[in-house]
Amino acid sequence: MIHGLPNTKVHIPQQTPLRSRVAPGESAVAPTSGDSVGNLPSGFSLSSGDFRFEIPAGRVVTVGRLPGSDLLLEDQAVSRNHAQMRTNNGTIELCDAGSSFGTKVNGQKLEPKRWVPLPPGATVSFATVDLKLDGLGNQSGSGTSQQGMSSALHATGGAVGGITGYLLQDNLGHQFTLKQDGEYTLGRSQENSISLQDPTVSRNHGRLRLQDGQLTFQDAGSSNGTSINGTKIEKGQWTPLPANAKIQMGDAVIQLSGVGQPAPLPQQGLVAGLGAAASAVGGPIGAALRTGLQLSDLSALASKQQLENKESYLESLSGAQAQLNKEKGIVDLPKGIPSLVLSDIHARRDFIMKALEHEIDGVKVFDLLKQGKINLVCVGDGMHGEGRAAARWQRAEQDMMQGKQSAAMHQEMIEGFGTMKMVMDLKSEFPENFHFLRGNHDEIKGSFAKYARNVGESAMVQSWVQQNLGQDFLDKYAQFEETMPLVVRGQGFVASHAAPGGTLDRQAVEQRDAKAFAQLSWTENRNWNDQDGDVQARFQKNLKEVGGEGGSWLVGHRPVDEGNFRSQFNGQLVQINAPSDFVVALVPADGKFQPERDVVSLS
């Protein structure tokens, strides 16, 4: 809640277009006069029923499912970065950004990455979302024909009633509205009217004052200062803000946009995005608007050769953490559907993609996940390239010891955090059916040193994260790992990272305490003698303790020497870690698991 505003929530659907993104090789059209022009209507709009999105002039406009898109389409078939639009000599041009399901104009599919002009009255289809282009001379409705640049300037300046409030959006996509006169505090402290979770923002950074439609800002003596539209302001002085000001506090950026009273026809490109229309419009648009992770989004992550920004990682981390907080150390899988169990990941993004693209009865695993018809379980070790990256770790260690920036370490982090971002996004999207179990490498604050024995891989990762993402990120990521489940329990089987060492206590496993984590993440079981009565009894007791009595226990961790799996205890303990292969176990819906049949390679 924003203090002082009753019943006003801090998350509000996308409103006035606030951001622009430009495709590689393209440059945004320069605004004709000042920053505010880039957010003014061009005289063209996309509409469906009562919904209307006014296309801004003077810049490239983004279309997609990614929060922060100018035209936010919350439909599963729409890609996160689906398309772009721009004005050019009185026309609108459109470019498909390489979307999964394409963009059509009047039924004709566009060639990706190519700008094309839109004919008047065109029907534009972003995957399954159809919108009609209204332009100068062909707008429907009363009172809004010829809604060009000049009338748009009047609309923003006061011809439809003037500024009655302000929309603020930060660089993480969070939005706030101010409509009541008064003062509002900003800063890192949760006690502020607007709380900004950025370490470069002071706890009590500044104040906003709204009075008679005019907004002013005061820096309250912050450590890193405040800039308005690129100009640093003096601390303690009140500075008037333009309607489209950009406020920078440390590294945090807030884009300001004035909200005017409604025009005769709904100007929903100015006051609400398509996500807001979904709950009010109904019909085909309302039915189609659903959020959803796409396979193309994950494929892009899997092939990306650069790091995401900190905000992107934090967004994924927050979504996954919210789901993990609802779970315990032992998670029950939905029954009556098959379960696909992946062996150790070790920063192999392609392994996750192979599993998601694998077809069962002609349907991809990813599509089955969307339908809730399969469980997908990873047995852990998401970070750390392991043996395939041994030489890379050694190069990175040498670079670190010599005080050099390390390309080897950089590549390791691209793969490791890229893998875990995929994991976090899958957990956020499919919380009941996707589970990642904690392995011994899922301990960012641990002390692992297998290949870089002088410094240690764990120390190297900690140092890299602190320098590049900050101590706050390190702490949040460690918490994320600590709340990962240790055991999943499915139909006819249980799974964990390692075979159970020692004697387990169910309550300790459910609470995910340190001892239970150690027992289920680091065990040498290869020398266990199946004929040893004590070893056999302990295994059966542990299986019963976690609720898997009579079933199979699937694990990774220790490498398999030959074939796809190692079988112990008359086939009850099945190990599936083949480091140079993509090995999975498919447990049938009835739980009648047969490793000879059901453990396979996806290579």
Side-chain angles (χ1 to χ4, degrees):
M1 302 283 288
I2 297 180
H3 297 295
L5 294 187
N7 303 319
T8 303
K9 296 185 178 179
V10 297
H11 179 73
I12 298 169
Q14 176 74 13
Q15 299 194 10
T16 307
L18 299 176
R19 302 178 178 178
S20 63
R21 295 182 182 83
V22 184
E26 297 292 344
S27 60
V29 181
T32 57
S33 59
D35 292 339
S36 65
V37 176
N39 277 334
L40 297 177
S42 62
F44 293 89
S45 63
L46 291 170
S47 64
S48 176
D50 292 333
F51 168 76
R52 184 177 302 281
F53 172 79
E54 296 285 353
I55 301 172
R59 64 180 178 85
V60 172
V61 179
T62 58
V63 182
R65 210 181 68 256
L66 186 70
S69 298
D70 296 321
L71 176 53
L72 178 63
L73 302 176
E74 296 179 326
D75 185 290
Q76 289 184 344
V78 174
S79 295
R80 289 193 170 191
N81 297 295
H82 195 102
Q84 294 175 319
M85 296 182 292
R86 67 186 181 190
T87 55
N88 187 15
N89 294 325
T91 64
I92 295 294
E93 294 183 337
L94 176 67
C95 176
D96 182 274
S99 62
S100 298
F101 294 102
T103 304
K104 294 179 180 179
V105 176
N106 291 334
Q108 298 296 311
K109 192 170 184 178
L110 299 185
E111 180 183 340
K113 308 292 185 180
R114 182 178 178 184
W115 288 96
V116 298
L118 296 180
T123 296
V124 182
S125 303
F126 302 105
T128 59
V129 178
D130 298 333
L131 298 172
K132 187 175 185 291
L133 178 68
D134 297 319
L136 297 171
N138 75 317
Q139 298 223 25
S140 59
S142 61
T144 58
S145 60
Q146 306 299 320
Q147 186 76 21
M149 180 64 73
S150 60
S151 62
L153 283 166
H154 286 299
T156 302
V160 293
I163 297 295
T164 61
Y166 290 86
L167 167 72
L168 299 86
Q169 178 166 304
D170 69 15
N171 49 352
L172 292 179
H174 303 133
Q175 296 183 338
F176 316 90
T177 54
L178 305 181
K179 288 192 175 181
Q180 278 189 351
D181 283 357
E183 288 190 12
Y184 304 87
T185 58
L186 301 88
R188 203 173 69 250
S189 170
Q190 295 290 335
E191 300 301 316
N192 286 295
S193 309
I194 299 174
S195 178
L196 301 168
Q197 300 307 305
D198 188 301
T200 64
V201 174
S202 296
R203 289 183 60 82
N204 299 294
H205 196 105
R207 299 182 185 90
L208 284 166
R209 177 188 290 162
L210 179 60
Q211 186 172 358
D212 298 327
Q214 175 62 54
L215 196 61
T216 53
F217 185 91
Q218 180 194 66
D219 185 293
S222 66
S223 299
N224 294 320
T226 304
S227 296
I228 306 298
N229 289 339
T231 301
K232 198 160 188 177
I233 64 173
E234 290 190 26
K235 296 175 183 178
Q237 293 189 6
W238 288 98
T239 303
L241 297 178
N244 292 76
K246 182 182 289 184
I247 308 167
Q248 181 161 353
M249 295 171 285
D251 291 337
V253 177
I254 287 183
Q255 176 68 59
L256 180 68
S257 185
V259 179
Q261 293 184 11
L265 188 73
Q267 299 293 308
Q268 291 184 331
L270 291 173
V271 297
L274 193 50
S279 61
V281 174
I285 290 290
L289 294 175
R290 299 184 302 273
T291 59
L293 182 69
Q294 296 298 309
L295 191 58
S296 59
D297 303 328
L298 296 164
S299 178
L301 271 174
S303 59
K304 199 166 187 179
Q305 291 306 309
Q306 64 259 20
L307 291 159
E308 300 283 312
N309 59 43
K310 179 178 179 178
E311 288 74 20
S312 177
Y313 290 130
L314 284 173
E315 181 182 6
S316 296
L317 186 59
S318 176
Q321 186 69 70
Q323 300 302 330
L324 292 175
N325 289 340
K326 302 174 185 177
E327 299 175 349
K328 294 184 178 180
I330 301 176
V331 175
D332 285 309
L333 300 176
K335 301 293 197 300
I337 56 176
S339 298
L340 188 66
V341 183
L342 279 61
S343 59
D344 302 34
I345 303 296
H346 284 302
R348 293 181 291 173
R349 296 173 290 177
D350 50 348
F351 188 6
I352 297 177
M353 287 307 303
K354 282 184 178 291
L356 294 171
E357 292 171 343
H358 181 65
E359 293 188 359
I360 299 175
D361 295 332
V363 183
K364 289 183 178 180
V365 167
F366 183 79
D367 293 325
L368 292 172
L369 269 176
K370 290 202 294 185
Q371 299 165 27
K373 294 182 178 179
I374 196 169
N375 300 310
L376 183 59
V377 177
C378 302
V379 298
D381 278 4
M383 299 280 283
H384 199 278
E386 191 64 358
R388 68 180 177 84
R392 185 165 70 196
W393 279 114
Q394 291 162 4
R395 287 196 303 273
E397 181 186 42
Q398 292 170 3
D399 291 340
M400 179 170 284
M401 292 177 70
Q402 294 172 12
K404 298 179 181 177
Q405 291 289 331
S406 177
M409 190 65 184
H410 190 75
Q411 184 60 37
E412 179 70 29
M413 294 297 95
I414 288 173
E415 294 177 13
F417 278 115
T419 298
M420 293 313 296
K421 182 170 170 61
M422 294 171 75
V423 166
M424 291 184 283
D425 288 348
L426 284 164
K427 183 61 184 178
S428 299
E429 189 71 16
F430 311 113
E432 294 184 359
N433 296 98
F434 177 83
H435 300 279
F436 184 92
L437 305 178
R438 190 180 182 192
N440 58 286
H441 281 285
D442 304 307
E443 190 176 16
I444 199 166
K445 290 187 176 180
S447 56
F448 189 79
K450 187 174 183 179
Y451 304 113
R453 296 193 177 277
N454 292 311
V455 178
E457 293 100 305
S458 289
M460 292 163 63
V461 170
Q462 290 173 48
S463 176
W464 186 93
V465 171
Q466 287 168 332
Q467 291 178 22
N468 293 275
L469 297 172
Q471 182 66 41
D472 62 321
F473 182 88
L474 183 67
D475 294 339
K476 288 178 181 178
Y477 192 86
Q479 182 186 12
F480 161 65
E481 291 178 323
E482 290 165 4
T483 49
M484 290 175 179
L486 301 178
V487 174
V488 293
R489 188 164 48 197
Q491 184 72 37
F493 79 102
V494 295
S496 61
H497 177 68
T503 301
L504 296 178
D505 176 79
R506 179 181 299 198
Q507 186 176 8
V509 177
E510 289 180 340
Q511 293 176 349
R512 297 171 283 207
D513 74 11
K515 181 180 179 181
F517 165 58
Q519 290 174 314
L520 289 163
S521 65
W522 189 282
T523 308
E524 177 54 85
N525 61 285
R526 289 174 291 188
N527 59 1
W528 284 354
N529 184 351
D530 290 15
Q531 307 307 313
D532 187 321
D534 290 339
V535 173
Q536 177 74 258
R538 185 185 65 199
F539 175 78
Q540 295 299 334
K541 184 178 186 299
N542 286 332
L543 188 58
K544 181 178 180 180
E545 187 71 10
V546 295
E549 188 174 16
S552 302
W553 198 315
L554 301 179
V555 298
H557 187 51
R558 294 300 178 187
V560 173
D561 301 319
E562 296 180 5
N564 293 330
F565 67 93
R566 175 186 296 109
S567 177
Q568 294 175 278
F569 303 128
N570 298 317
Q572 280 192 287
L573 179 61
V574 179
Q575 202 149 23
I576 59 172
N577 182 22
S580 60
D581 205 349
F582 302 123
V583 174
V584 300
L586 180 61
V587 182
D590 60 9
K592 296 179 180 179
F593 174 65
Q594 299 177 26
E596 296 81 5
R597 177 196 67 190
D598 299 326
V599 179
V600 298
S601 168
L602 300 182
S603 297

